[in-house]
Amino acid sequence: MNSAPAETERIREALLQAAEADFLQAVGADESPVAFSLSYQRWEAKFLRNPRALAKRLARPLWQRAARAAACLLLAAALSFGGLMLASPQARATVTRWFTTWFDTHVSYNFTGPVPDDQLGLWEPAYLPRGYHQSDYIDLTNIICIFYSNGDPELDIEFSYQLMEEGSGYSLDNEWHNISDISVQGLPGQLFTSTKENGQNMLVWFGETTNHSFLLTSRLPCETLMKIAESVHYVK
């Protein structure tokens, strides 16, 4: 009377073994690079500042990028800004509004939560190195970009800011930068120090109370970027 359950169990075991064999074969397969759509590549070009890093990323198999991205996401959730979160209640509150994801070639900052009713307003640094003046102001509706120049285009300063609203964020190169956690006016942020001679340094920080995020980019020394960032204030 027990022959039917026993037969069912043997069939189940056989199916499980077959599924396991298929899985091991799939995992060990040598996947070829995935051809991404033009729209996806345009998105990458918009957010990634390093074309070489983009080409290198697209050359990797999709499963490898996904696995590394998932692992980096878990690490970022546990480790990113750990020191600041322990020391600053404001930093602990801010992390609920944005998430950091580490990839092989870049770091993505994605904002979440309800869309704030705040306006972008006008922000600007009170301090600029000697000889610098505003050379361009670009209003892209959801982000403001202000450029400062001393006459040498290689040393221009780009200051941009946006609201921390759903769907917005930054994507910054980490392949040619050393990244360190910093604090700007008591707010959490990260400093991207270029590893290339005369490369672009970047400084990003986040203000929970004002719903703004800020980004400074220049070939000037990181110490100068920090001084500029500390002087950024709301004008109107």
Side-chain angles (χ1 to χ4, degrees), residues 7-30:
E7 183 66 23
T8 301
E9 184 62 27
R10 284 195 294 271
I11 294 174
R12 177 179 178 275
E13 184 66 23
L15 290 174
L16 288 174
Q17 291 177 1
E20 181 181 9
D22 290 342
F23 172 76
L24 293 175
Q25 182 180 3
V27 171
D30 182 18

Side-chain angles (χ1 to χ4, degrees), residues 169-180:
Y170 296 111
S171 206
L172 305 180
D173 169 76
N174 64 11
E175 213 172 13
W176 304 103
H177 291 85
N178 291 325
I179 305 173
S180 54

Side-chain angles (χ1 to χ4, degrees), residues 79-149:
L79 301 177
S80 183
F81 303 113
L84 281 174
M85 289 180 65
L86 288 175
S88 170
Q90 186 173 18
R92 290 195 295 271
T94 301
V95 79
T96 63
R97 287 296 313 277
W98 49 272
F99 295 91
T100 307
T101 308
W102 293 73
F103 297 92
D104 290 341
T105 58
H106 66 286
V107 181
S108 288
Y109 302 93
N110 299 300
F111 304 134
T112 186
V115 177
D117 295 328
D118 303 348
Q119 298 298 314
L120 271 173
L122 177 61
W123 296 76
E124 63 182 26
Y127 166 80
L128 290 172
R130 184 182 300 274
Y132 277 85
H133 63 279
Q134 181 176 315
S135 57
D136 205 355
Y137 178 94
I138 302 175
D139 186 348
L140 299 175
T141 305
N142 62 337
I143 184 170
I144 299 293
C145 299
I146 307 175
F147 294 84
Y148 301 92
S149 176

Side-chain angles (χ1 to χ4, degrees), residues 3 11 21 30 34 70 75 77-78 81 84 89 93 124 129 134-135 146 150 158 163 167 169 194 202 214 229:
S3 59
I11 294 174
D30 182 18
V34 177
L75 286 174
F81 303 113
L84 281 174
E124 63 182 26
Q134 181 176 315
S135 57
I146 307 175
N150 67 348
E158 179 183 351
L163 291 174
S194 177
M202 299 179 289
F214 305 89

Side-chain angles (χ1 to χ4, degrees), residues 27 31 57 60-75 101-104:
V27 171
E31 297 183 357
R57 182 188 177 205
R60 296 187 178 97
L62 178 61
W63 69 266
Q64 186 183 68
R65 293 199 306 274
R68 291 187 180 183
C72 289
L73 178 59
L74 292 175
L75 286 174
T101 308
W102 293 73
F103 297 92
D104 290 341

Side-chain angles (χ1 to χ4, degrees), residues 127-231:
Y127 166 80
L128 290 172
R130 184 182 300 274
Y132 277 85
H133 63 279
Q134 181 176 315
S135 57
D136 205 355
Y137 178 94
I138 302 175
D139 186 348
L140 299 175
T141 305
N142 62 337
I143 184 170
I144 299 293
C145 299
I146 307 175
F147 294 84
Y148 301 92
S149 176
N150 67 348
D152 183 355
E154 292 297 314
L155 295 178
D156 279 359
I157 302 170
E158 179 183 351
F159 170 56
S160 62
Y161 56 93
Q162 59 181 309
L163 291 174
M164 291 196 294
E165 59 186 5
E166 190 81 35
S168 60
Y170 296 111
S171 206
L172 305 180
D173 169 76
N174 64 11
E175 213 172 13
W176 304 103
H177 291 85
N178 291 325
I179 305 173
S180 54
D181 297 342
I182 49 88
S183 175
V184 176
Q185 300 181 26
L187 304 173
Q190 288 192 315
L191 177 65
F192 290 68
T193 304
S194 177
T195 58
K196 298 192 297 183
E197 185 177 1
N198 298 322
Q200 292 273 358
N201 297 313
M202 299 179 289
L203 176 59
V204 60
W205 71 100
F206 309 90
E208 172 73 9
T209 57
T210 66
N211 294 318
H212 286 77
S213 62
F214 305 89
L215 176 64
L216 266 174
T217 304
S218 179
R219 289 186 171 87
L220 291 174
C222 292
E223 294 80 4
T224 304
L225 286 186
M226 285 293 298
K227 190 173 181 179
I228 295 172
E230 289 288 353
S231 74

